[in-house]
Structures are given as structure tokens and as C-alpha cells.
Amino acid sequence: MSAEKLQITISDGASRRDDLIGDTMLSTWDIVCVAIYFALVAGVGIYSMCRPNRGTVAGYFLAGRVVWWLPVGASLFASNIGSEHFIGLAGSGAAAGIGVGAFELNAMVLLQLLGWVFLPVFIASGVSTLPEYTSKRFGGRRIRTYLAILSLILYVFTKISVNLYSGAIFIQQALKVNNLYLSIIGLLLMTALCTMLGGLAAVIYTDTLQFFIMIGGSLYLMIKAFQAVGGYTELQTKYLEAIPEKLIDNSTCGLPRIDSWRMLRDADPTVSDMPWPAFLLGQMPVSIWYWCADQMMVQRVMAARSLSHAKGGTIFAGYIKLLPLFIIILPGMVSRVLFPSEVGCIVPEECYKFCGSRVSCTNSAYPKLVLEYMPSGMRGVMLSVMLSALMSDLTSIFNSASTLFTIDIWAICRPKAKQREQLIVGRIFIVILVVFSILWIPIIEQTQGGQLYIYIQSIAAYLAPPIAAIYCLAIAWKRMNELGAFWGLMIGFVIGMARMALDFYYGEPVCHEEDYRPVIIQKFHFMYFATLLFWLTVVISIIISMITKPPESWRVIRTTFITRHDLAEREDEMELKEKARNGLLHDKPQDIDDDDEQQDGIPWYRQFFNWLLGFDNSEKAQQQEVAMNEHIAQLTNLHQENWENYLLNIMLVAIIILTLVFYTYFSINPFTTEEIYEIQRNKLHELGYDNIF
């Protein structure tokens, strides 16, 4: 994606967007719905502030590890489905059909890989963050520091920026505002306040609220969309006919893809945007990183009250991940059917009139559908849905980023930092993230693309495979050592960055332009590249590990899947326990601040500050912290009741079968190639184009 194609600003196009929403404005009922939504979020945030142990590191960053399976699963879903999904998934559905749904079905199974393989190791090792796990598994600090810094960079430059941009699209079009700063700053401040004061508990419980709002509102929109188009069967035919009135002469640009109704497509990347071998072999490592080795996702399941509840959360989230195909992607395709000349525009000047972009307007598919087909009041609900998606993603990012910075970076700079300092640093870092996000808005305003979701996946394909490879080897192979892991990461990073730089430099041409890119980019799909990068990292890491000294035998105790139940003593356990007592996980409340021992002598503003941040040195708080620490210590034994195991394993088998059934069904094209040509030929004849085919 070239810089030349991306330099179309939202603000320049805002005045042209009246064509999108016409005279549609938010009514009084819409505003009431949005106000109720914000009141509910505030109420859940206040409730989370009243929970105990908010003033401890484990209580703040891991919610005390007492969350049951439903909030865990709901938080996984809400943290994943951000505003970029409503904009990006629907946009990709409008642009290229059902293929992008493969990412959602893939997640159904990989969530279970997290629950059954990765998570037991992370829990048994007793860590709080994934970079901390690498330090315990391999020793040293450089891998831990590198992964923490890389994760923070990815959060800022992909997740936060993409969320702000996609949320901005909907807010601009719904509220008819040219200046995004006030709305975006308001959202950022609210999400930051919720995260700072309540910690992960506030994030999880507000995510649960956002989950039900998202599902309810988007299901309603899906029903309205299918009613408008005449049902699923009618959609299959009408989508293939969704051709804009103005086309580029002697070009098939603007016509729906022949494989629009195939999920896994032809293996040749020159004719397919979703080659099935590339997806199964290349996208898998990227998804393993996202679902099994990314702090933002893993932190939610690590907050579960037991391994069974963590697995239950991944099962619940896995089944719910089937919904985006129906509530986001298919409505995006409906939007193209209802507005083919706007959403499906291909002539740059026409696209610019509609959405301010000369590349494509498919990213406006979902907002267009909401603003045109929702009655008064429901538009406010759908605006709340988009705000839910935006806020749930941002709160998750802020909390995970502050956790990484505090435990994996600040702890290195200040190894003897007390608990109070760590908690304040974590909250201050959220403020820094918010400021950086606000400063990033002008750049986001200049960044648009035709398929936002595919763009996100391509960036991940260049950076994530080496990380996934190292975590897979660390958990599966005891012989893996620190040198192999480090150099595998470094070489993989350099190769990935080189490919990403080439992609940005050359850029993908739009439909009607000649493709002058080098063959290695033109014919080497980013998913095939991810496959190569993953296995290259694996081979390099294995070779270096084999020709260098093996890791100390005690380092693999409870840090690999095979040794997760090993009860032997680790040499670093005494040091870890001492560090926990001194302020990492199990600080004594009296260590927080000596001044807190005599509450009566503390000024009122200091008492208010302590209450606001959850610092409590009362006898009840001490008893609650002791109970929490005992509970956390018991989690490492990975105990599960037999009936829990049987039930969870049955549901695991069911979700795998369900995934295979849906992959098979949606990968069979309901039309032959000749039938598709005939459908499109008839539509083109109606539009006055008889020379396209």
C-alpha cells in the first residue's frame, strides 16, 4: 500500500460525505440511547472500583485471578472485536465477499489451542506477562525486553491507531463533524479513566457489558439487512449483481469477484486474495501469535479463577466467534447490494464524492447501512455498539500495555520498586499512551485504505511469525535455549521488516493500474511469506540451539507442556518468592506507604487519592490480600475436577467439528463460473456496458 494512495485526509473529504448520510441526523432518542450507554459504562466502572485488592499488582493487573468463565469469554470477544472489525470486516465483505470470514473461523480453534496448550504452561510457570515467561524459560533479560518493547510498538502503531481511525469514520459520518479531536479525545479520556482506576477488573466487566451491547445491536442490524435484501439466498445472487453505475472503460474493475462466495480460494496468489494453502499454513502462525502469545488476549484468561474457568472462557469465546461472519461480514455485503454505486464505487472521482477517498469506499459499508436503515433510537444503539467496540479494544490495549511496561520494563529499571510505585507508574503510562494517541490523530486522518482488515493482517504477517515460532518451540521443545530463541527472533525480525519496507515502497496498484512491482512481491502473497518466515525462524532457532549449550535442566521445570505438572524445585523459586514478598505480586499492604498506618493523621486529599487508586491498609484489606495470594498460589497446580474435564473436552471436540463444517460449506461456490458471468453480463447490459466481457 503506497504512501501516495494513503495521503487522502478524512478532513478534506468530510465536506463530501453528505452524500453518504444525506439528511440523516441523530434524533433525541438516539442521543438518549447513547447517554444510557455511557451511564451503564460509568456504573460498571464504579462497581469495579468497589472491588477489593485494586491497590495490589495482582489485583490491578490480573483482577485478582477470580473471574469466572462468562466474563473471561466475553472480554476475549470484546477485546478482539474492535471498531476496526465493524469497519474492516464489513468493508472486506463488501469489497471481496465472504473470504475474510476465514479469519473468524480460524480463531474458533486457535482459542482452544490457547486454553488447552499454552495457558496451562503460563499458569504453571507462575508468570504475569508473556515476556516474563520467556525470561523464566530461557533466562536473561534481552528476549523479555525485546518482546515487551515490540508489543508496545505494535499496540501504538497498529491497534490504537487503527481503532481510532475506524472509530473516527463512524463518528464523523454519524455526527457530521469535521474535527475529530473533541470526540476522539473524549473517548480516549473515558477509556483511560476506566482503565486507570479499576484496572483489569474494570476492563473485563465493562467488556462484558460492551459484549452484550455489541451482540444485541448488531444482530438487530443483521435482521434488518437481510429483510432489506430478501434473505440469504437472494443476497447470493444480488451481491454478484452489485455493480456501480460508473465503471472504468474496458475493465472488469468494480465487478464482484467470481469467488466472492468461496471462503478458502485458489492457491494461485495472482488470481486469489485468499489462497487456501497460504491461509492454512501462513495465517496460522500469525493467529497463534495473536490468540496464544499476545499479552492483550492471554491476560484475560490468566485472570480466570481456575484453569477450568479459563478453558470455559475460550470455549465460550470460540462459539461466539462464529457470529462476526453473520453480524458484520454479511451485512457489509448487503450494504454493497443496497448501495452499489457508493459502497462499490471504483472511479476515483466518484469515490471521493462519497467518502473522501480515491481508493475505495468499502470501509463505509457498515456506517452507511446503520445510518440509512436503522430507525430513530436504534441509530443511537448502533452508535453505542461502535463506541463499545472502540472502547473495549482501547481499554484492553491500555491495560495490557501498562502491564507490560510496569512488570517487564519498569521492573528492570527499578527492580526494588515497591507495589505503590508500580501501580502509580502503570497508571501514568496509560496517560502517556493517551497523549501519544491524541498526537497520532493527524497521521490517522491521512491514512485510509480499501480493505482495512486485510491491511492489518498483512502488517501482522511481517512481524508476528517469529514471535509465534519462539513461543511454540519454547513450550513444545525442552532443548530450545536462549541463544536459539534470541537469534531466531532477531533474524526473523530483520527479514520481516525488509519485506514490509518493500511492500510500503512499491505499494499495491489499484484495480485499473499496471502492476510494476517486483515478481517476489507481486507473486509472493503475504500469507505465503508468513509461512516462510515462521519456518525459517524455527529452523534457525533449532540449528543454533543444537550447536550451543542446552538450557539448565531446572529452567524447563513447569515451563514446557510436557513438564507443566513437574513438582520439582526451581533454582530461581526462592528469588521469585522473595521478589513477590517485596513488591511484585504479593506485597504486604503495610509496605504500600508507612504514612497509611495512621489514617487519622493523613490529610483528606491524601485519603481521597488513596481511595481513588485503591490503596487500602485496613485489616480487612490485609485479610483479603492474604486470601487472594493463597488463591493465586493454588492456581499453579492446574487442578481440574473430572466432570469439568469431560464437559470441556466434549465441547472442544464439538467446536472443532463445527469449524470444519463451516469451512467446508463456505468454501464450495454455490455458482459455476459460467453462471456468475451470465449474472454479471445481464446486469452490465442493464447498465449499458456490453463490452466488459
Side-chain angles (χ1 to χ4, degrees):
M1 190 176 299
S2 67
E4 183 180 336
K5 294 172 194 168
L6 296 176
Q7 300 304 313
I8 306 295
T9 65
I10 295 176
S11 56
D12 288 343
S15 60
R16 306 297 185 99
R17 288 203 177 94
D18 289 344
D19 292 340
L20 170 66
I21 57 179
D23 296 326
T24 303
M25 290 292 291
L26 295 182
S27 67
T28 302
W29 284 110
D30 295 326
I31 296 172
V32 168
C33 289
V34 175
I36 292 173
Y37 160 72
F38 278 112
L40 288 172
V41 172
V44 173
I46 292 171
Y47 165 75
S48 301
M49 287 177 61
C50 298
R51 294 175 58 82
N53 298 316
R54 197 164 44 94
T56 63
V57 172
Y60 180 78
F61 291 119
L62 292 173
R65 293 190 172 181
V66 293
V67 185
W68 60 297
W69 62 269
L70 178 60
V72 169
S75 184
L76 278 171
F77 181 85
S79 299
N80 166 241
I81 300 295
S83 54
E84 83 275 12
H85 283 73
F86 282 94
I87 299 299
L89 278 180
S92 290
I98 207 169
V100 73
F103 292 98
E104 303 304 298
L105 296 186
N106 201 32
M108 293 173 65
V109 174
L110 292 182
L111 274 163
Q112 313 325 315
L113 182 67
L114 167 63
W116 265 258
V117 177
F118 283 78
L119 187 64
V121 177
F122 296 149
I123 293 177
S125 63
V127 299
S128 299
T129 69
L130 300 192
E132 183 185 1
Y133 164 76
T134 62
S135 180
K136 192 164 188 176
R137 170 67 174 84
F138 300 118
R141 291 179 174 177
R142 57 183 181 176
I143 295 178
R144 177 179 181 177
T145 305
Y146 165 76
L147 290 176
I149 293 174
L150 180 61
S151 297
L152 292 176
I153 292 173
L154 287 172
Y155 287 163
V156 171
F157 290 101
T158 60
K159 295 185 178 181
I160 294 178
S161 60
V162 169
N163 263 279
L164 290 177
Y165 165 65
S166 53
I169 290 178
F170 193 89
I171 292 170
Q172 263 196 319
Q173 295 176 1
L175 303 180
K176 285 190 173 181
V177 294
N178 293 338
N179 191 331
L180 296 180
Y181 284 86
L182 290 178
S183 55
I184 292 297
I185 289 173
L187 287 171
L188 282 171
L189 292 177
M190 184 167 182
T191 54
L193 191 65
C194 177
T195 310
M196 287 169 60
L197 298 181
L200 183 60
V203 171
I204 287 179
Y205 287 105
T206 52
D207 277 355
T208 305
L209 170 66
Q210 320 272 31
F211 164 80
F212 287 108
I213 293 174
M214 278 193 282
I215 295 298
S218 52
L219 278 173
Y220 180 86
L221 179 65
M222 179 195 72
I223 294 170
K224 293 286 289 184
F226 276 110
Q227 287 176 344
V229 83
Y232 181 74
T233 304
E234 286 293 314
L235 174 62
Q236 287 182 312
T237 302
K238 289 181 178 179
Y239 179 81
L240 296 173
E241 298 176 333
I243 302 171
E245 293 181 0
K246 294 186 178 181
L247 296 172
I248 297 172
D249 292 336
N250 300 318
S251 170
T252 57
C253 297
L255 274 61
R257 294 180 59 93
I258 294 176
D259 55 7
S260 295
W261 290 102
R262 283 185 62 189
M263 189 168 284
L264 297 180
R265 300 171 177 176
D266 195 285
D268 184 356
T270 61
V271 299
S272 173
D273 63 338
M274 190 73 68
W276 68 265
F279 180 83
L280 295 179
L281 299 176
Q283 181 57 35
M284 195 69 70
V286 178
S287 296
I288 287 175
W289 162 74
Y290 183 83
W291 290 109
C292 304
D294 181 20
Q295 179 69 21
M296 192 175 84
M297 289 297 135
V298 177
Q299 191 168 343
R300 271 116 204 88
V301 288
M302 290 182 71
R305 64 179 59 178
S306 69
L307 180 58
S308 293
H309 277 273
K311 289 182 175 180
T314 62
I315 286 285
F316 177 69
Y319 280 110
I320 297 299
K321 280 297 285 181
L322 184 61
L323 288 180
L325 173 62
F326 299 98
I327 64 178
I328 301 178
I329 298 171
L330 290 179
M333 299 174 72
V334 170
S335 185
R336 174 164 180 161
V337 170
L338 299 176
F339 314 104
S341 295
E342 294 96 339
V343 174
C345 66
I346 190 64
V347 179
E349 291 74 18
E350 294 299 313
C351 290
Y352 187 65
K353 290 179 184 178
F354 172 59
C355 66
S357 169
R358 298 185 188 276
V359 180
S360 169
C361 288
T362 52
N363 283 336
S364 296
Y366 204 85
K368 176 73 171 174
L369 197 61
V370 169
L371 296 170
E372 291 285 349
Y373 273 86
M374 289 289 97
S376 178
M378 284 307 298
R379 283 194 299 270
V381 171
M382 291 310 299
L383 179 56
S384 299
V385 167
M386 294 300 296
L387 295 176
S388 296
L390 176 63
M391 290 181 62
S392 62
D393 231 16
L394 287 177
T395 53
S396 302
I397 295 166
F398 288 155
N399 183 261
S400 298
S402 66
T403 304
L404 287 172
F405 181 81
T406 304
I407 294 179
D408 293 307
I409 297 177
W410 190 258
I412 295 176
C413 302
R414 295 267 300 168
K416 296 183 179 180
K418 290 187 177 181
Q419 183 166 256
R420 184 188 184 100
E421 178 184 331
Q422 293 179 8
L423 292 170
I424 292 176
V425 165
R427 288 168 164 117
I428 292 175
F429 186 70
I430 293 175
V431 176
I432 295 172
L433 275 181
V434 170
V435 172
F436 197 96
S437 302
I438 293 171
L439 295 176
W440 193 248
I441 291 175
I443 299 174
I444 301 166
E445 286 187 306
Q446 300 179 29
T447 307
Q448 288 195 70
Q451 294 195 55
L452 185 66
Y453 192 77
I454 298 300
Y455 169 72
I456 299 168
Q457 300 301 327
S458 65
I459 296 300
Y462 306 138
L463 299 175
I467 304 174
I470 295 308
Y471 276 106
C472 288
L473 285 173
I475 285 176
W477 189 40
K478 295 196 295 183
R479 182 62 174 77
M480 178 78 163
N481 64 15
E482 196 271 349
L483 281 171
F486 178 76
W487 288 110
L489 281 171
M490 292 299 103
I491 295 173
F493 175 76
V494 171
I495 295 173
M497 287 297 293
R499 169 61 193 255
M500 186 167 70
L502 287 173
D503 265 12
F504 271 97
Y505 179 77
Y506 288 102
E508 184 178 356
V510 295
C511 180
H512 58 279
E513 292 181 351
E514 193 74 26
D515 193 346
Y516 294 108
R517 296 176 299 168
V519 175
I520 192 172
I521 298 178
Q522 185 182 142
K523 297 184 181 297
F524 197 26
H525 194 275
F526 72 84
M527 291 185 189
Y528 281 121
F529 175 79
T531 307
L532 174 65
L533 186 57
F534 176 82
W535 288 108
L536 184 63
T537 304
V538 168
V539 171
I540 291 171
S541 299
I542 289 176
I543 291 174
I544 294 177
S545 294
M546 292 300 294
I547 62 176
T548 54
K549 292 169 52 177
E552 300 95 328
S553 58
W554 60 267
R555 289 205 176 274
V556 299
I557 296 174
R558 292 186 295 281
T559 55
T560 69
F561 186 76
I562 296 175
T563 63
R564 67 191 186 282
H565 293 295
D566 195 336
L567 299 179
E569 289 285 333
R570 291 177 56 95
E571 290 186 12
D572 60 350
E573 281 185 343
M574 294 306 298
E575 178 185 350
L576 182 63
K577 291 176 182 177
E578 183 66 25
K579 186 163 58 174
R581 284 194 293 269
N582 289 337
L584 182 58
L585 287 178
H586 311 302
D587 252 357
K588 295 180 180 180
Q590 56 263 35
D591 288 340
I592 292 175
D593 200 315
D594 294 337
D595 293 338
D596 291 340
E597 293 181 2
Q598 300 295 329
Q599 290 288 334
D600 295 337
I602 301 177
W604 67 268
Y605 58 85
R606 184 72 176 277
Q607 292 185 37
F608 175 76
F609 177 77
N610 289 339
W611 171 83
L612 196 64
L613 299 186
F615 298 146
D616 188 357
N617 194 33
S618 66
E619 183 176 347
K620 181 180 179 181
Q622 294 183 38
Q623 293 173 352
Q624 289 171 338
E625 185 174 358
V626 169
M628 180 187 70
N629 293 339
E630 291 175 352
H631 165 70
I632 292 174
Q634 292 173 357
L635 290 178
T636 57
N637 63 20
L638 305 179
H639 173 73
Q640 288 182 275
E641 299 292 341
N642 287 334
W643 70 268
E644 294 175 336
N645 246 331
Y646 291 139
L647 177 62
L648 289 167
N649 287 334
I650 290 171
M651 297 183 75
L652 171 66
V653 172
I655 203 171
I656 292 174
I657 293 174
L658 185 66
T659 303
L660 293 175
V661 168
F662 273 91
Y663 262 135
T664 303
Y665 177 79
F666 286 112
S667 294
I668 299 174
N669 201 330
F671 303 96
T672 64
T673 302
E674 190 53 45
E675 287 174 337
I676 295 172
Y677 282 142
E678 184 63 25
I679 291 171
Q680 295 185 342
R681 190 179 293 115
N682 292 335
K683 183 64 179 179
L684 288 167
H685 179 71
E686 290 180 21
L687 297 173
Y689 295 95
D690 294 316
N691 59 343
I692 297 295
F693 291 114

